[in-house]
Amino acid sequence: MGQTVAATQQHRINLSEQVKLKALGETVIFKGLLPDEVQELAAITVAIRLPKGALIFGEGDPSDFFYIVQEGYVRLFKNAPSGKTLTFTVAGYGDTLNGLALSVDNYFMSAQTMGIVNVLRIPRKEFLQFVEKHPRLMVDLIAIIARRIAYDYARAVGFVGEDVEKRLLHSLYILVCKFGNRLTLTREELANFAGTTTETTIRILGKLKKSGVISCTGNRGEIVISDISKILDRVKSPPPLP
């Protein structure tokens, strides 16, 4: 993704109470909370802004905070011993970042911003105390984790034996279903998500553009999918969605 920006460039921002409550209330794990419970959670939540390329946390770092994306996109990835990078997911508004790591001592993935990003940050100790007071959250968290593991497993199995073009089309389909038909990401970021190289991604995107499956705007790094059915026609069956 390019050079990593030091996380020290992050800074606290003042979000209005209404914006903070809305983001917390629309996060999947907190949707079952009552309004006064969401306000209780907001009281221990801090809003942080980070620049593009900032590492929010790295694999192996102490899992000191629970993070929610309030604005922008964050990629969650792991580095293989070979030096290759695999992006497991791209998180957007209302998504949590490696929340399962709070049950252990360290984050087992890295999280890096893909543009200017606002996150809501809750200290681990305060978050776990809140969960103890509202134990039904643990049930919701387990369900979310189970779905996430099932998705990652299905996606990994799907990669086995698939040609690169099909993997790239599957990746575009997943991203479009989540973020809409106008995707702002670099070729390297898309390559990491599809488990291939940047050079191969550029070549295949060129083919897809010529055949009308995608189009690219004048904005650097923007890919537009005008008709998702063209992607489905090529992959035959839709990939699993997170």
Side-chain angles (χ1 to χ4, degrees):
M1 174 165 175
Q3 188 173 8
T4 298
V5 175
T8 52
Q9 293 191 24
Q10 64 180 273
H11 60 275
R12 291 180 60 164
I13 57 174
N14 292 319
L15 291 180
S16 70
E17 190 74 3
Q18 182 179 6
V19 170
K20 188 187 288 188
L21 291 172
K22 182 175 184 292
L24 289 171
E26 292 179 353
T27 299
V28 173
I29 186 176
F30 301 135
K31 282 187 175 179
L33 293 178
L34 299 173
D36 61 330
E37 294 171 335
V38 178
Q39 287 185 328
E40 181 185 352
L41 188 64
I44 58 173
T45 301
V46 172
I48 302 291
R49 177 165 293 164
L50 301 103
K52 181 177 180 179
L55 197 64
I56 301 173
F57 53 79
E59 182 179 349
D61 286 350
S63 49
D64 293 334
F65 297 100
F66 182 82
Y67 289 97
I68 301 161
V69 180
Q70 189 272 326
E71 185 176 309
Y73 300 129
V74 176
R75 71 181 188 118
L76 288 162
F77 66 96
K78 286 181 74 73
N79 292 315
S82 64
K84 292 183 178 180
T85 298
L86 178 61
T87 296
F88 281 82
T89 191
V90 176
Y93 178 80
D95 287 333
T96 59
L97 303 180
N98 207 192
L100 179 59
L102 293 186
S103 63
V104 291
D105 293 329
N106 305 94
Y107 296 111
F108 47 86
M109 287 191 286
S110 300
Q112 189 175 31
T113 62
M114 298 171 67
I116 297 174
V117 168
N118 294 344
V119 294
L120 300 179
R121 190 178 73 183
I122 307 171
R124 174 181 179 171
K125 181 180 178 181
E126 284 82 347
F127 177 76
L128 293 178
Q129 288 174 343
F130 184 82
V131 171
E132 285 179 6
K133 290 175 62 178
H134 307 284
R136 67 181 180 278
L137 279 180
M138 187 56 66
V139 176
D140 294 338
L141 185 57
I142 290 171
I144 291 168
I145 291 167
R147 287 197 298 269
R148 182 81 243 174
I149 292 173
Y151 161 73
D152 287 337
Y153 175 78
R155 187 165 173 249
V157 170
F159 273 9
V160 178
E162 272 189 357
D163 62 63
V164 178
E165 182 171 329
K166 191 171 182 181
R167 291 209 308 267
L168 197 67
L169 286 164
H170 275 175
S171 298
L172 287 171
Y173 174 81
I174 291 167
L175 292 169
V176 168
C177 288
K178 186 168 185 178
F179 300 115
N181 68 337
R182 190 175 292 268
L183 303 174
T184 303
L185 72 170
T186 68
R187 276 39 177 175
E188 182 183 359
E189 289 163 349
L190 181 57
N192 289 339
F193 190 61
T196 185
T197 65
T198 304
E199 293 75 14
T200 299
T201 297
I202 292 171
R203 177 177 56 80
I204 293 174
L205 287 178
K207 278 178 56 181
L208 296 177
K209 184 178 179 182
K210 284 182 181 178
S211 59
V213 176
I214 68 167
S215 61
C216 300
T217 71
N219 298 326
R220 185 173 178 269
E222 192 166 69
I223 301 169
V224 178
I225 288 81
S226 55
D227 187 354
I228 197 171
S229 66
K230 291 182 179 180
I231 292 179
L232 289 176
D233 286 344
R234 292 199 171 211
V235 301
K236 304 304 180 185
S237 60
L241 295 175

